[in-house]
Amino acid sequence: AAASCRGPARRAGPGGGGGFPPPPPPPPVHSYAVSGAKIERRHTLTGHELGVTAVAVAADVAVAASAALDSRIRVWNLDTGSLNLEIDCGPMSYGVALSPDGVTVAAGSM
């Protein structure tokens, strides 16, 4: 069977070839400082190769974790904006949770 939108479908080759443009990079995760009615962006957390599906923040420490479709959980230091840890979670990561002290990470994948 053939599909057409002004011509035959083509498979993308290595490096995004095959006539299709490469996909845009996923949007980054941002952290914000909130003080009363004032909201200020603190850090831009980049590194996921596919879309972010969930973000969790530890209650007692400045740690956050992000899950994404690139099968990675990333654990961030919110004081510095630096990456603390990267965990490969399998096919796709859809959910993430952190313990209040930021020591334990739970992830849901598919």
Side-chain angles (χ1 to χ4, degrees):
S4 176
C5 290
R6 289 198 216 169
R10 293 178 281 175
R11 245 182 237 282
F20 297 107
V29 175
H30 299 288
S31 69
Y32 297 87
V34 179
S35 178
K38 183 180 177 185
I39 300 172
E40 180 180 346
R41 184 182 296 174
R42 295 193 65 208
H43 302 291
T44 299
L45 311 173
T46 60
H48 284 293
E49 295 175 16
L50 295 172
V52 173
T53 57
V55 176
V57 178
D60 298 339
V61 293
V63 173
S66 55
L69 297 176
D70 62 5
S71 305
R72 302 276 194 263
I73 301 293
R74 288 180 166 79
V75 180
W76 308 92
N77 178 321
L78 292 179
D79 286 332
T80 65
S82 63
L83 180 65
N84 284 352
L85 179 68
E86 182 177 29
I87 305 164
D88 185 345
C89 287
M92 290 183 229
S93 301
Y94 281 101
V96 65
L98 282 169
S99 60
D101 61 6
V103 173
T104 303
V105 178
S109 63
M110 211 169 126

